[in-house]
Structures are given as C-alpha cells and as structure tokens.
Amino acid sequence: MARLVYGLMQSLDGYVDHTTLGPPTPAVARHFLELVRGLTGLIYGRRMYEIMRYWDDALPDWDAEDHDFASAWQSQPKWVMS
C-alpha cells in the first residue's frame, strides 16, 4: 500500500500568500527541492495549485535553483482537489 504524506505549503483555509513571505533561504529551497524530487505525485487544492503553476514556465530572472525546482515540479503528476 502506498504512503500518503500530507504537508508542504498548507494553511487552514488552503491558501498561503507567498507575496508576504519573500524568497526561501538556500537551505529551505534545497529541502523542498529534495522533497519534491522524492515524491510520486502531488495533490493540491485549487488555489495552491494555481499558485504553484508559477513553476510551469521559466522566467528570465530565475537562477539555477529556480530552474532545478521547476524541473522537479514539472516532472511530477499532479491532482487538484477542490
């Protein structure tokens, strides 16, 4: 039987305002990159999925870490639950 791990960017109402958080520290970014690389797939609520779609298209100001995370995120199957 598969294991379901619940975590990564949830709030009580299913929304996190990333504009108030600022960019993650390098250690936090590496942690989430390794976490996403090790997953089988991702389940999101509608609002969080819409935020995470940011990683669908590379932006000119991204650094190597941003591209690494985007690649890991894009490679995972995703399901949206509303």
Side-chain angles (χ1 to χ4, degrees):
M1 177 178 288
R3 182 174 66 136
L4 178 64
V5 176
Y6 180 77
L8 187 64
M9 297 180 282
Q10 75 273 356
S11 66
L12 292 176
D13 66 352
Y15 181 74
V16 175
D17 184 358
H18 291 282
T19 62
T20 63
L21 296 175
T25 64
V28 171
R30 279 191 306 275
H31 169 76
F32 284 117
L33 173 60
E34 293 307 316
L35 180 67
V36 170
R37 281 184 177 155
L39 299 176
T40 303
L42 303 162
I43 301 172
Y44 287 108
R46 179 186 49 82
R47 282 194 249 173
M48 186 53 65
Y49 176 73
E50 289 171 359
I51 289 171
M52 293 302 291
R53 289 197 58 214
Y54 167 83
W55 298 106
D56 280 341
D57 301 310
L59 297 177
D61 61 337
W62 281 5
D63 60 18
E65 291 171 341
D66 290 331
H67 285 286
D68 286 346
F69 184 84
S71 177
W73 190 82
Q74 292 167 4
S75 71
Q76 299 294 337
K78 295 159 202 70
W79 298 274
V80 179
M81 308 295 182
S82 290

